[in-house]
PDB file of all heavy atoms in Angstrom:
ATOM      1  N   ASP D  96     -11.503  10.376  17.303  1.00 95.00           N
ATOM      2  CA  ASP D  96     -11.704   9.177  18.109  1.00 95.00           C
ATOM      3  C   ASP D  96     -10.390   8.495  18.482  1.00 95.00           C
ATOM      4  O   ASP D  96     -10.368   7.398  19.027  1.00 95.00           O
ATOM      5  CB  ASP D  96     -12.646   8.190  17.422  1.00 95.00           C
ATOM      6  CG  ASP D  96     -12.160   7.799  16.028  1.00 95.00           C
ATOM      7  OD1 ASP D  96     -11.194   8.422  15.531  1.00 95.00           O
ATOM      8  OD2 ASP D  96     -12.752   6.879  15.432  1.00 95.00           O
ATOM      9  N   ASP D  97      -9.266   9.150  18.147  1.00 95.00           N
ATOM     10  CA  ASP D  97      -7.933   8.666  18.509  1.00 95.00           C
ATOM     11  C   ASP D  97      -7.329   9.568  19.570  1.00 95.00           C
ATOM     12  O   ASP D  97      -7.961  10.530  20.018  1.00 95.00           O
ATOM     13  CB  ASP D  97      -7.024   8.633  17.287  1.00 95.00           C
ATOM     14  CG  ASP D  97      -7.584   7.788  16.142  1.00 95.00           C
ATOM     15  OD1 ASP D  97      -8.368   6.872  16.431  1.00 95.00           O
ATOM     16  OD2 ASP D  97      -7.223   8.045  14.975  1.00 95.00           O
ATOM     17  N   TRP D  98      -6.089   9.294  19.965  1.00 97.00           N
ATOM     18  CA  TRP D  98      -5.378  10.198  20.862  1.00 97.00           C
ATOM     19  C   TRP D  98      -3.871  10.056  20.638  1.00 97.00           C
ATOM     20  O   TRP D  98      -3.411   9.085  20.048  1.00 97.00           O
ATOM     21  CB  TRP D  98      -5.742   9.969  22.319  1.00 97.00           C
ATOM     22  CG  TRP D  98      -5.492   8.579  22.861  1.00 97.00           C
ATOM     23  CD1 TRP D  98      -6.270   7.481  22.696  1.00 97.00           C
ATOM     24  CD2 TRP D  98      -4.373   8.168  23.661  1.00 97.00           C
ATOM     25  NE1 TRP D  98      -5.724   6.393  23.331  1.00 97.00           N
ATOM     26  CE2 TRP D  98      -4.565   6.778  23.930  1.00 97.00           C
ATOM     27  CE3 TRP D  98      -3.247   8.802  24.169  1.00 97.00           C
ATOM     28  CZ2 TRP D  98      -3.656   6.057  24.703  1.00 97.00           C
ATOM     29  CZ3 TRP D  98      -2.353   8.072  24.934  1.00 97.00           C
ATOM     30  CH2 TRP D  98      -2.564   6.714  25.197  1.00 97.00           C
ATOM     31  N   SER D  99      -3.130  11.055  21.111  1.00 98.00           N
ATOM     32  CA  SER D  99      -1.688  11.104  20.887  1.00 98.00           C
ATOM     33  C   SER D  99      -0.920  11.145  22.197  1.00 98.00           C
ATOM     34  O   SER D  99      -1.375  11.714  23.198  1.00 98.00           O
ATOM     35  CB  SER D  99      -1.304  12.349  20.068  1.00 98.00           C
ATOM     36  OG  SER D  99      -1.822  12.256  18.757  1.00 98.00           O
ATOM     37  N   ASP D 100       0.261  10.537  22.178  1.00 98.00           N
ATOM     38  CA  ASP D 100       1.178  10.648  23.319  1.00 98.00           C
ATOM     39  C   ASP D 100       1.636  12.085  23.491  1.00 98.00           C
ATOM     40  O   ASP D 100       1.696  12.843  22.511  1.00 98.00           O
ATOM     41  CB  ASP D 100       2.400   9.747  23.103  1.00 98.00           C
ATOM     42  CG  ASP D 100       2.166   8.322  23.590  1.00 98.00           C
ATOM     43  OD1 ASP D 100       1.004   7.982  23.895  1.00 98.00           O
ATOM     44  OD2 ASP D 100       3.133   7.553  23.634  1.00 98.00           O
ATOM     45  N   PRO D 101       2.001  12.500  24.712  1.00 98.00           N
ATOM     46  CA  PRO D 101       2.358  13.903  24.969  1.00 98.00           C
ATOM     47  C   PRO D 101       3.524  14.422  24.157  1.00 98.00           C
ATOM     48  O   PRO D 101       3.620  15.633  23.923  1.00 98.00           O
ATOM     49  CB  PRO D 101       2.694  13.896  26.462  1.00 98.00           C
ATOM     50  CG  PRO D 101       1.943  12.745  27.028  1.00 98.00           C
ATOM     51  CD  PRO D 101       1.941  11.699  25.951  1.00 98.00           C
ATOM     52  N   ASP D 102       4.433  13.558  23.713  1.00 98.00           N
ATOM     53  CA  ASP D 102       5.606  14.029  22.971  1.00 98.00           C
ATOM     54  C   ASP D 102       5.477  13.880  21.460  1.00 98.00           C
ATOM     55  O   ASP D 102       6.448  14.104  20.727  1.00 98.00           O
ATOM     56  CB  ASP D 102       6.864  13.279  23.440  1.00 98.00           C
ATOM     57  CG  ASP D 102       7.262  13.666  24.854  1.00 98.00           C
ATOM     58  OD1 ASP D 102       7.009  14.824  25.245  1.00 98.00           O
ATOM     59  OD2 ASP D 102       7.822  12.800  25.558  1.00 98.00           O
ATOM     60  N   ARG D 103       4.293  13.527  20.975  1.00 98.00           N
ATOM     61  CA  ARG D 103       4.148  13.280  19.542  1.00 98.00           C
ATOM     62  C   ARG D 103       4.556  14.499  18.699  1.00 98.00           C
ATOM     63  O   ARG D 103       5.383  14.397  17.802  1.00 98.00           O
ATOM     64  CB  ARG D 103       2.700  12.901  19.231  1.00 98.00           C
ATOM     65  CG  ARG D 103       2.479  12.702  17.715  1.00 98.00           C
ATOM     66  CD  ARG D 103       1.011  12.779  17.331  1.00 98.00           C
ATOM     67  NE  ARG D 103       0.891  13.230  15.945  1.00 98.00           N
ATOM     68  CZ  ARG D 103      -0.204  13.701  15.418  1.00 98.00           C
ATOM     69  NH1 ARG D 103      -1.318  13.805  16.127  1.00 98.00           N
ATOM     70  NH2 ARG D 103      -0.221  14.095  14.162  1.00 98.00           N
ATOM     71  N   ILE D 104       3.979  15.654  18.983  1.00 98.00           N
ATOM     72  CA  ILE D 104       4.256  16.840  18.155  1.00 98.00           C
ATOM     73  C   ILE D 104       5.701  17.295  18.303  1.00 98.00           C
ATOM     74  O   ILE D 104       6.353  17.668  17.312  1.00 98.00           O
ATOM     75  CB  ILE D 104       3.272  17.960  18.504  1.00 98.00           C
ATOM     76  CG1 ILE D 104       1.858  17.562  18.037  1.00 98.00           C
ATOM     77  CG2 ILE D 104       3.688  19.289  17.864  1.00 98.00           C
ATOM     78  CD1 ILE D 104       0.772  18.561  18.387  1.00 98.00           C
ATOM     79  N   ALA D 105       6.244  17.234  19.510  1.00 98.00           N
ATOM     80  CA  ALA D 105       7.652  17.618  19.715  1.00 98.00           C
ATOM     81  C   ALA D 105       8.573  16.756  18.879  1.00 98.00           C
ATOM     82  O   ALA D 105       9.538  17.247  18.270  1.00 98.00           O
ATOM     83  CB  ALA D 105       8.010  17.524  21.192  1.00 98.00           C
ATOM     84  N   GLU D 106       8.303  15.459  18.849  1.00 98.00           N
ATOM     85  CA  GLU D 106       9.150  14.542  18.080  1.00 98.00           C
ATOM     86  C   GLU D 106       9.083  14.848  16.585  1.00 98.00           C
ATOM     87  O   GLU D 106      10.092  14.799  15.872  1.00 98.00           O
ATOM     88  CB  GLU D 106       8.724  13.097  18.329  1.00 98.00           C
ATOM     89  CG  GLU D 106       8.984  12.577  19.729  1.00 98.00           C
ATOM     90  CD  GLU D 106      10.411  12.082  19.905  1.00 98.00           C
ATOM     91  OE1 GLU D 106      11.194  12.127  18.916  1.00 98.00           O
ATOM     92  OE2 GLU D 106      10.756  11.663  21.029  1.00 98.00           O
ATOM     93  N   GLN D 107       7.899  15.168  16.093  1.00 98.00           N
ATOM     94  CA  GLN D 107       7.747  15.453  14.675  1.00 98.00           C
ATOM     95  C   GLN D 107       8.382  16.785  14.290  1.00 98.00           C
ATOM     96  O   GLN D 107       9.047  16.899  13.262  1.00 98.00           O
ATOM     97  CB  GLN D 107       6.263  15.420  14.287  1.00 98.00           C
ATOM     98  CG  GLN D 107       5.677  14.004  14.305  1.00 98.00           C
ATOM     99  CD  GLN D 107       4.227  13.969  13.924  1.00 98.00           C
ATOM    100  OE1 GLN D 107       3.359  14.303  14.720  1.00 98.00           O
ATOM    101  NE2 GLN D 107       3.929  13.550  12.693  1.00 98.00           N
ATOM    102  N   VAL D 108       8.177  17.813  15.109  1.00 98.00           N
ATOM    103  CA  VAL D 108       8.800  19.118  14.834  1.00 98.00           C
ATOM    104  C   VAL D 108      10.324  18.970  14.809  1.00 98.00           C
ATOM    105  O   VAL D 108      10.988  19.577  13.957  1.00 98.00           O
ATOM    106  CB  VAL D 108       8.361  20.165  15.868  1.00 98.00           C
ATOM    107  CG1 VAL D 108       9.184  21.441  15.733  1.00 98.00           C
ATOM    108  CG2 VAL D 108       6.876  20.478  15.718  1.00 98.00           C
ATOM    109  N   SER D 109      10.859  18.177  15.710  1.00 97.00           N
ATOM    110  CA  SER D 109      12.311  17.969  15.756  1.00 97.00           C
ATOM    111  C   SER D 109      12.833  17.414  14.429  1.00 97.00           C
ATOM    112  O   SER D 109      13.914  17.799  13.966  1.00 97.00           O
ATOM    113  CB  SER D 109      12.669  17.004  16.878  1.00 97.00           C
ATOM    114  OG  SER D 109      12.400  17.565  18.142  1.00 97.00           O
ATOM    115  N   GLN D 110      12.061  16.522  13.804  1.00 97.00           N
ATOM    116  CA  GLN D 110      12.468  15.946  12.529  1.00 97.00           C
ATOM    117  C   GLN D 110      12.553  17.032  11.442  1.00 97.00           C
ATOM    118  O   GLN D 110      13.484  17.042  10.634  1.00 97.00           O
ATOM    119  CB  GLN D 110      11.499  14.857  12.100  1.00 97.00           C
ATOM    120  CG  GLN D 110      11.517  13.610  12.965  1.00 97.00           C
ATOM    121  CD  GLN D 110      12.864  12.902  12.904  1.00 97.00           C
ATOM    122  OE1 GLN D 110      13.517  12.858  11.863  1.00 97.00           O
ATOM    123  NE2 GLN D 110      13.286  12.363  14.042  1.00 97.00           N
ATOM    124  N   PHE D 111      11.601  17.943  11.444  1.00 97.00           N
ATOM    125  CA  PHE D 111      11.608  19.024  10.441  1.00 97.00           C
ATOM    126  C   PHE D 111      12.762  19.997  10.671  1.00 97.00           C
ATOM    127  O   PHE D 111      13.363  20.487   9.726  1.00 97.00           O
ATOM    128  CB  PHE D 111      10.283  19.779  10.462  1.00 97.00           C
ATOM    129  CG  PHE D 111       9.159  19.038   9.787  1.00 97.00           C
ATOM    130  CD1 PHE D 111       8.204  18.374  10.532  1.00 97.00           C
ATOM    131  CD2 PHE D 111       9.045  19.023   8.409  1.00 97.00           C
ATOM    132  CE1 PHE D 111       7.148  17.697   9.930  1.00 97.00           C
ATOM    133  CE2 PHE D 111       8.015  18.346   7.791  1.00 97.00           C
ATOM    134  CZ  PHE D 111       7.077  17.679   8.554  1.00 97.00           C
ATOM    135  N   LEU D 112      13.077  20.259  11.931  1.00 96.00           N
ATOM    136  CA  LEU D 112      14.175  21.179  12.232  1.00 96.00           C
ATOM    137  C   LEU D 112      15.522  20.553  11.890  1.00 96.00           C
ATOM    138  O   LEU D 112      16.452  21.252  11.494  1.00 96.00           O
ATOM    139  CB  LEU D 112      14.125  21.574  13.704  1.00 96.00           C
ATOM    140  CG  LEU D 112      12.879  22.355  14.149  1.00 96.00           C
ATOM    141  CD1 LEU D 112      12.956  22.677  15.622  1.00 96.00           C
ATOM    142  CD2 LEU D 112      12.724  23.648  13.337  1.00 96.00           C
TER     143      LEU D 112
END
Side-chain angles (χ1 to χ4, degrees):
D96 56 351
D97 302 335
W98 58 280
S99 293
D100 273 10
D102 290 329
R103 177 199 152 197
I104 291 177
E106 292 277 359
Q107 289 180 283
V108 171
S109 294
Q110 292 297 324
F111 283 102
L112 296 179

